[in-house]
Amino acid sequence: MTDWNEWHASYDDPASQLSRRLRLIQELIEGWLDRTAPKPVRVLSVCAGDGRDLLQVLRRRADADRVTATLLEYDDKNVARAQAWAAETNARIEVRQVDAGQGGAYEGAVPADLVLLAGVFGNISDEDVRAVIRALPSMCSDDALVIWTRHRRAPDLTGSIRSWLAAEGFVEESFTAPRAAMFTVGAHRFDGTTETWVRDRELFRFTR
């Protein structure tokens, strides 16, 4: 299986695809925080890694104290790094060392106003991608934003993901697929009705 702590080393190169993807995600988070100010908001990050997409943004914002966030991550080194960065913000952040594929990991963290699914859809089966999207209405509060990523290696699933999100009541706000890069970043707003979270279920398993 992938060493997900070592995987983060690509961020050290500002020209890497991973760094470019990170900047796009952070721009979306920053814009969302600007739009929702000054109300309190709740954030959920699934398979958060070391949480740098969210935490680096919060560390530079004076209004971070209105944010309550739950980060779900399995790798112990990533968890430790996320906890250290979280301590440098004014936000209320819980970093849980859990398997985000299990429904119980989400207890008390949903529904959220922002759901981050960065690095999830590219590492699970197509069937599990569909299962996660079906579960999103129970992860999201009214008008919540979901930010997701997926590679475009064949067979490119991004078209199906966008259709599945629409079928579950999500409105696409942006979809970025840069030239000379394999990654995509999508942002979809929830326009449906929040459903009850089902705790006792398996959402997905990582395939690598």
Side-chain angles (χ1 to χ4, degrees):
M1 295 295 287
T2 302
D3 183 332
W4 292 108
N5 179 65
E6 181 62 28
W7 178 88
H8 283 70
S10 293
Y11 285 121
D12 294 337
D13 177 6
S16 70
Q17 292 201 28
L18 201 58
S19 292
R20 292 172 61 193
R21 191 187 78 173
L22 174 66
R23 289 191 290 271
L24 285 170
I25 295 169
Q26 290 182 332
E27 288 173 7
L28 289 169
I29 294 172
E30 194 92 58
W32 176 79
L33 286 168
D34 289 342
R35 293 195 305 272
T36 58
K39 71 176 185 178
V41 289
R42 174 185 279 187
V43 180
L44 170 69
S45 182
V46 180
C47 301
D50 60 17
R52 69 180 67 198
D53 48 7
L54 174 66
L55 298 177
Q56 287 181 351
V57 172
L58 292 179
R59 284 195 301 174
R60 61 179 180 250
R61 290 190 67 100
D63 64 346
D65 58 347
R66 68 188 178 90
V67 176
T68 299
T70 304
L71 280 60
L72 310 180
E73 171 59 31
Y74 188 77
D75 182 87
D76 56 349
K77 293 179 181 178
N78 285 336
V79 167
R81 195 157 56 242
Q83 289 172 334
W85 284 347
E88 298 176 3
T89 80
N90 293 324
R92 292 173 294 280
I93 298 171
E94 179 185 5
V95 184
R96 299 181 181 176
Q97 186 171 5
V98 291
D99 178 357
Q102 304 301 315
Y106 297 76
E107 195 75 16
V110 292
D113 304 303
L114 173 65
V115 177
L116 300 176
L117 289 167
V120 179
F121 289 164
N123 297 297
I124 62 179
S125 69
D126 295 357
E127 293 78 11
D128 283 355
V129 172
R130 186 69 182 99
V132 172
I133 292 173
R134 286 196 189 99
L136 277 175
S138 55
M139 294 187 197
C140 293
S141 61
D142 293 347
D143 209 37
L145 184 69
V146 174
I147 299 174
W148 58 276
T149 65
R150 166 77 186 200
H151 60 75
R152 283 181 288 149
R153 292 189 294 272
D156 184 357
L157 194 67
T158 57
S160 295
I161 290 171
R162 296 162 80 183
S163 296
W164 294 338
L165 284 162
E168 298 298 334
F170 288 85
V171 177
E172 185 168 284
E173 292 202 340
S174 66
F175 177 75
T176 304
R179 291 184 178 180
M182 292 302 296
F183 69 84
T184 61
V185 179
H188 280 69
R189 179 178 55 82
F190 184 47
D191 194 36
T193 302
T194 300
E195 299 175 2
T196 302
W197 181 253
V198 178
R199 185 185 190 281
D200 297 323
R201 62 177 164 186
E202 182 177 80
L203 289 169
F204 60 84
R205 293 185 184 183
F206 263 41
T207 57
R208 67 184 186 92

